[in-house]
């Protein structure tokens, strides 16, 4: 299988939304701007995976600092377990390091078993967490969401 990795332009973004669903745009997963990086995995010009990171400001009293936050990593179910997600993260890490970020972080719910295993395999520090409050996901408002925070020094 020949997978090509490309930065996400408007044409690829339209393909992502078509392949993965409107939640990608509804949840504002593909943030553009200074310090952001969007990457897609393509097989025969079909998007089979994508990932995005953006700068995340630290909270007070360290609000002058930013690090890279992985907003989303998705791989089509038919293409999972083939190293595509790991390669997407590797490309995000490379960008983040070259941009000058100190660390890269992410979060996922416990439902994302493949993400949990991937981040562990990629030597991310993992911290269990339970969140309660607002959510961008419909149906999770004011419900506890259990998952993991991930972080890795660059």
């Amino acid at each position: 299988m020949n997978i090509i990795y490309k930065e996400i332009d408007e044409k690829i973004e339209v393909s992502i939304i078509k392949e993965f669903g409107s939640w990608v745009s509804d949840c504002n997963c593909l943030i553009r701007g200074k310090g952001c990086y969007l990457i897609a995995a393509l097989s025969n010009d079909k998007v089979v995976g994508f990932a995005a990171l953006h700068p995340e400001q630290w909270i007070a009293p360290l609000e002058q600092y930013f690090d890279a936050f992985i907003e989303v990593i998705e791989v089509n179910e038919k293409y999972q377990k083939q190293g595509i997600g790991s390669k997407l993260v590797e490309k995000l890490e490379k960008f983040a390091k070259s941009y000058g970020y100190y660390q890269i972080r992410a979060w996922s719910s416990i439902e994302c078993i493949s993400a949990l295993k991937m981040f562990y395999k990629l030597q991310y520090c993992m911290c269990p967490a339970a969140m309660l409050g607002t959510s961008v996901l419909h149906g999770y408002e004011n419900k506890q969401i259990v998952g993991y925070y991930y972080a890795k020094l660059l």
Side-chain angles (χ1 to χ4, degrees):
M1 172 181 23
N2 187 23
I3 302 294
I4 296 170
Y5 297 87
K6 290 186 177 179
E7 285 192 48
I8 297 171
D9 58 19
E10 290 181 14
K11 181 181 175 189
I12 293 174
E13 183 172 343
V14 169
S15 295
I16 289 170
I17 293 166
K18 182 180 174 188
E19 292 292 327
F20 290 87
S22 64
W23 65 267
V24 176
S25 57
D26 295 345
C27 295
N28 196 28
C29 292
L30 301 178
I31 300 168
R32 298 180 189 282
K34 186 177 178 182
C36 297
Y37 188 63
L38 312 173
I39 187 82
L42 296 101
S43 176
N44 298 320
D45 291 326
K46 177 184 176 185
V47 177
V48 298
F50 67 98
L53 69 72
H54 62 85
E56 184 79 13
Q57 186 175 16
W58 291 16
I59 60 173
L62 300 173
E63 65 272 10
Q64 71 272 26
Y65 298 114
F66 289 82
D67 56 21
F69 187 82
I70 299 173
E71 183 65 35
V72 64
I73 301 172
E74 287 290 326
V75 177
N76 179 302
E77 193 173 328
K78 295 176 187 175
Y79 292 85
Q80 290 181 6
K81 306 285 187 211
Q82 299 177 44
I84 296 169
S86 295
K87 188 70 167 180
L88 288 167
V89 172
E90 179 184 305
K91 292 190 173 292
L92 295 179
E93 289 174 359
K94 184 176 179 181
F95 169 83
K97 188 170 188 164
S98 70
Y99 193 79
Y101 288 117
Y102 175 71
Q103 69 178 358
I104 189 167
R105 297 184 294 130
W107 184 89
S108 71
S109 68
I110 59 172
E111 285 84 16
C112 299
I113 302 296
S114 58
L116 298 169
K117 291 178 179 179
M118 179 189 68
F119 281 115
Y120 183 82
K121 182 183 90 179
L122 294 173
Q123 298 182 330
Y124 275 71
C125 296
M126 300 172 65
C127 181
M131 298 189 305
L132 179 64
T134 58
S135 173
V136 295
L137 301 176
H138 179 66
Y140 284 92
E141 302 87 351
N142 296 316
K143 292 184 182 175
Q144 187 179 50
I145 303 171
V146 179
Y148 284 85
Y149 283 104
Y150 310 102
K152 186 177 190 179
L153 294 177
L154 297 169

